[in-house]
Amino acid sequence: MAHLVKRLSDFLGCPLHGPAATPCGHVAANLAITLFGLTELIFVPEYWNPPSLFNLAQRTGFDIESLIFSFALGGTGTVLYDALAGRDLVPASAALRQALQHCLHRWAMLLPSATFVPRCVLPWNPIYAVLACLVLGAVASNLCCPELRRKSFVGGLLFLALHAVFMLGLKGFAPGYIAAVWNLPALKVGLVYGIPTEELLFGFAFGLYWSGVYEHFTWSVSAMRSKSVSGQLTRPRL
């Protein structure tokens, strides 16, 4: 995954070894997470069976909407915490890069993908495999970068809130849609105000994991944004 993001970023003309945060770097990370939309094949119809353009989900297991959703999901998860907290990404110091736990960056990023396929062959709904892999990835990420713990947890809460608002909007504007599309009898946890609890858990787990992923990719850290007297942005404060 990290290698894929680097190649995409280089292709876009914004190498990740340059500034900590660049538009092309964000696009590269978003394009990488977009590929997870291809996993829709294992969710239809076991987890849900949504209508799709050209009826692709029902005919092939893949759909265009999942790719678009994954791209938007990656972009939102990358910037949500920093945008709301008034923080910016700055390059990590040489001392931080050389810390022992930071040698495990690549393994921390690969862990969710490496454990996803084995978990999918177990006799449970694939959404639980996704939840387990995201939580494992978040734990590995925080062990590798302890400074991400606050951002990871708050990012999980923020994404949970965002996803809950989305699901409530879906419930309010399309009555009966959730019952018609989600495979509710196959889900174990139940509903919260008509919303599958698994969806809320996914929102939290995804935010928990993805909030700090871009920092891993770019060797950067989140720092408080500061302003000069004239109102011009200056170098963020750690």
Side-chain angles (χ1 to χ4, degrees):
M1 183 67 162
H3 179 70
L4 175 59
V5 172
K6 184 180 184 304
R7 285 302 185 96
L8 286 170
S9 187
D10 290 342
F11 174 75
L12 291 170
C14 293
L16 290 179
H17 51 73
T22 66
C24 291
H26 283 300
V27 171
N30 294 357
L31 289 175
I33 194 66
T34 297
L35 298 180
F36 282 102
L38 299 177
T39 62
E40 183 74 356
L41 177 66
I42 67 173
F43 291 96
V44 178
E46 284 79 6
Y47 178 63
W48 69 342
N49 194 14
S52 60
L53 189 64
F54 307 124
N55 208 30
L56 287 176
Q58 290 69 36
R59 291 165 48 197
T60 67
F62 300 103
D63 59 21
I64 298 171
E65 293 85 349
S66 292
L67 300 176
I68 297 173
F69 177 74
S70 296
F71 181 84
L73 200 67
T76 304
T78 299
V79 304
L80 187 61
Y81 174 83
D82 288 330
L84 294 180
R87 302 178 73 90
D88 286 318
L89 294 179
V90 299
S93 65
L96 191 62
R97 293 188 183 201
Q98 293 169 5
L100 179 61
Q101 68 269 26
H102 288 277
C103 297
L104 304 176
H105 268 247
R106 183 170 297 179
W107 295 108
M109 293 297 94
L110 288 175
L111 184 61
S113 300
T115 58
F116 180 68
V117 174
R119 290 178 184 276
C120 283
V121 302
L122 297 176
W124 56 6
N125 196 284
I127 189 62
Y128 301 114
V130 170
L131 293 175
C133 291
L134 288 174
V135 171
L136 280 175
V139 170
S141 177
N142 289 329
L143 289 175
C144 179
C145 296
E147 64 274 11
L148 288 178
R149 289 173 184 171
R150 173 183 171 84
K151 180 176 183 178
S152 179
F153 181 71
V154 176
L157 294 178
L158 289 173
F159 213 88
L160 167 62
L162 182 66
H163 199 52
V165 169
F166 170 77
M167 293 299 296
L168 287 172
L170 186 62
K171 178 177 179 287
F173 288 104
Y177 183 85
I178 291 176
V181 170
W182 270 261
N183 186 9
L184 297 181
L187 304 183
K188 307 298 184 184
V189 186
L191 303 177
V192 176
Y193 197 62
I195 300 171
T197 306
E198 287 80 359
E199 282 295 318
L200 301 178
L201 292 174
F202 170 78
F204 178 70
F206 181 83
L208 200 68
Y209 170 68
W210 193 252
S211 292
V213 163
Y214 189 73
E215 296 185 25
H216 279 281
F217 288 151
T218 59
W219 280 107
S220 57
V221 295
S222 181
M224 287 299 298
R225 186 180 303 148
S226 60
K227 293 185 179 181
S228 66
V229 176
S230 63
Q232 298 295 321
L233 289 178
T234 60
R235 185 175 178 80
R237 293 179 287 109
L238 295 174

